[in-house]
Amino acid sequence: MRIATGVNVPKIYTTWPHKVFLGKNCILEHNINFKYDGIWSKEPSIIIENDVFLGFGCEFNISSKIEIKQFAMIASGCKFIDHDHGIALDSVMNGQSPIEKPIVIEEYVWLGCNVIVLKGVNIGKGAVVAAGAVVTKSIPSNEIWAGVPAKKIGKRK
C-alpha cells in the first residue's frame, strides 16, 4: 500500500494492499474495506488523493478503478461498486462476464452517510449527494442529488 505523509491508518481491511494509494493528509476512520477484485496488475486501482476524508465502514468493491480527488468528504458507510454481473437469459448469471466501468469522485464532493455509487459514475466537482442515495448515473458539478435512484434536487449557490 502506498501511503503519503500525514495519514494515520486505523484498523482497515484490504485484499491487495498494493492496489491502494492514499494521498497526503487523508483522514481515515476505522473499518474501511479496500477490496480489489480484478485482474492482477502493478499499478493502484483505488486512488485516494490528498486531504480526503473517509468515514467509518466505507467499502470499496473495485474490479476496474476508482479515483477520489482531493478535498472530497465521504461519510460513514458509503459503498463504491464499479462492476456488476451480466443478466442475459441464455446463461447462468454468475457465469457471465462482469461489466466493469471506473468511478471518479471529483474535488470538493460531499457524500452523506450510506451513499452507494455504482459503476461508470462521475460525480462532478463540488457536488453533494444526500445520505442514503444510490447514484446510478453521473452528476454534474455543484449539483445536489438525493433518493433511490438519485435525482437532482438542487444546485449549490
Side-chain angles (χ1 to χ4, degrees):
M1 184 178 286
R2 289 181 36 213
I3 303 170
T5 61
V7 179
N8 181 21
V9 179
K11 182 177 182 178
I12 62 170
Y13 305 92
T14 183
T15 54
W16 294 102
H18 76 285
K19 298 301 287 181
V20 179
F21 170 79
L22 298 172
K24 290 191 267 186
N25 304 316
C26 289
I27 298 172
L28 280 69
E29 292 186 335
H30 59 287
N31 290 348
I32 295 170
N33 189 344
F34 295 110
K35 179 185 176 200
Y36 178 73
D37 193 27
I39 297 171
W40 191 93
S41 64
K42 287 183 180 182
E43 69 278 347
S45 292
I46 301 170
I47 300 166
I48 314 296
E49 291 188 358
N50 299 339
D51 301 291
V52 169
F53 172 83
L54 296 176
F56 167 83
C58 287
E59 177 184 325
F60 295 82
N61 188 341
I62 303 300
S63 291
S64 177
K65 187 174 190 177
I66 183 168
E67 292 182 69
I68 299 182
K69 307 286 183 159
Q70 62 184 0
F71 302 107
M73 297 183 300
I74 312 299
S76 298
C78 289
K79 297 184 185 319
F80 303 89
I81 305 161
D82 73 348
H83 59 283
D84 62 20
H85 299 284
I87 58 171
L89 281 173
D90 61 351
S91 64
V92 178
M93 283 188 274
N94 68 357
Q96 295 180 40
S97 296
I99 302 162
E100 303 172 350
K101 293 182 183 172
I103 296 170
V104 177
I105 311 297
E106 297 290 345
E107 296 92 347
Y108 305 101
V109 166
W110 175 22
L111 302 183
C113 290
N114 299 313
V115 168
I116 298 172
V117 180
L118 299 179
K119 71 179 186 315
V121 166
N122 183 331
I123 299 180
K125 183 177 180 179
V128 176
V129 181
V134 177
V135 184
T136 60
K137 58 186 176 181
S138 293
I139 297 175
S141 295
N142 298 313
E143 289 190 358
I144 304 167
W145 285 47
V148 179
K151 294 181 175 26
K152 181 181 175 183
I153 62 167
K155 184 136 175 110
R156 291 182 60 204
K157 298 178 183 181

